[in-house]
Amino acid sequence: MTSRKQTARIAGVLYLVMGLAGAFSIEGIPRMFVVRGDAAATAVNITSSPLLYRFGVVCDLVNQAGFILLALVLYDLLKDVNRRHAMLMVALVLVQVAMTSAIMITQIAPLVLLSGASYLSVFEKQQLDAFVLGILNVRGRALIALGVYMGLWLLPFGALVYRSGFIPRVIGVLLQVAGCAYVVSTLTFFLLPDYFRVSSLLMVVAAAAGEVSIVGWLLIKGAREDAA
């Protein structure tokens, strides 16, 4: 039988792997391949490093699979604290994974459009390049929209951590603050875009404080066995 401390550490490892894979896919791909306003340069970046671009797709898959496993392990760890909150947490994770899987189409599409397949010859190169940049721009905005669910799952998770008794309450508070920051940042992007840079910065700080704290605690400390 797996102890609570072992379960917590498994969750920490999954959270870390998922986070690193997601960071590369969500942040790394745009930084390395997308040149703002320059479709031709973006296309060249992808065609000159196809293996690295495909690695980003694989990281996306690892992120999603890891997230499902993480949710199940966290459910096992926290279900005795409040089963309804634990179920809500898992449900929100599954919705997020489903949405991310759909967004993956926009990451895979450039590989098809730039493949040089004969049926694409009806389009000019400049048109295909423009399609690629447009699709990647859609991906970026879709991932920002996904931020609502990135935040919502942290709210029941944070509440469970706060009430658990075997993880410091302050981490639960930080997780809930991070969850609210994700939601506010997403809404700001669509409703008050002039203020998105500020809200995004605050979101990054809040997310780092909450999620790095829980990952560190789960990996290093695990969970107290003697807690109620």
Side-chain angles (χ1 to χ4, degrees):
M1 181 177 179
T2 305
S3 69
R4 178 184 289 165
K5 180 169 288 190
Q6 289 174 319
T7 301
R9 286 186 169 151
I10 291 170
V13 170
L14 288 170
Y15 213 142
L16 180 62
V17 171
M18 182 201 80
L20 293 175
F24 182 82
S25 176
I26 294 173
E27 297 293 333
I29 293 295
R31 292 181 183 275
M32 289 186 288
F33 293 96
V34 178
V35 180
R36 184 176 298 180
D38 193 333
T42 299
V44 168
N45 287 342
I46 294 173
T47 55
S48 62
S49 301
L51 184 60
L52 184 60
Y53 187 88
R54 290 173 186 273
F55 181 69
V57 176
V58 172
C59 283
D60 215 349
L61 291 170
V62 170
N63 172 254
Q64 293 168 53
F67 207 179
I68 294 173
L69 293 175
L70 172 63
L72 295 176
V73 174
L74 287 176
Y75 177 82
D76 188 45
L77 179 67
L78 298 166
K79 63 185 178 183
D80 292 334
V81 178
N82 187 304
R83 194 172 295 270
R84 287 186 178 181
H85 285 174
M87 291 175 65
L88 176 60
M89 175 187 69
V90 173
L92 289 169
V93 167
L94 294 178
V95 170
Q96 186 176 330
V97 169
M99 292 181 66
T100 306
S101 298
I103 294 170
M104 270 193 70
I105 295 171
T106 60
Q107 188 172 350
I108 297 171
L111 294 172
V112 176
L113 293 172
L114 299 175
S115 66
S118 58
Y119 62 83
L120 294 171
S121 61
V122 297
F123 298 103
E124 299 289 338
K125 181 182 183 303
Q126 292 84 350
Q127 291 176 313
L128 292 173
D129 292 350
F131 291 157
V132 167
L133 183 58
I135 287 171
L136 290 176
N137 283 336
V138 169
R139 176 180 183 267
R141 284 159 176 75
L143 288 173
I144 292 173
L146 185 65
V148 168
Y149 289 97
M150 291 180 178
L152 288 178
W153 92 277
L154 291 175
L155 299 181
F157 180 30
L160 289 165
V161 168
Y162 183 85
R163 297 176 58 186
S164 68
F166 50 80
I167 301 174
R169 286 189 167 189
V170 65
I171 295 179
V173 173
L174 290 174
L175 286 170
Q176 292 190 307
V177 170
C180 292
Y182 272 115
V183 174
V184 170
S185 182
T186 298
L187 296 179
T188 301
F189 177 81
F190 289 104
L191 299 176
L192 299 167
D194 291 342
Y195 298 95
F196 176 67
R197 186 182 298 273
V198 175
S199 68
S200 178
L201 178 61
L202 294 175
M203 179 270 290
V204 169
V205 173
E211 297 195 85
V212 171
S213 295
I214 187 63
V215 171
W217 183 270
L218 292 173
L219 283 173
I220 298 170
K221 293 289 188 179
R224 294 197 302 271
E225 297 287 353
D226 57 347

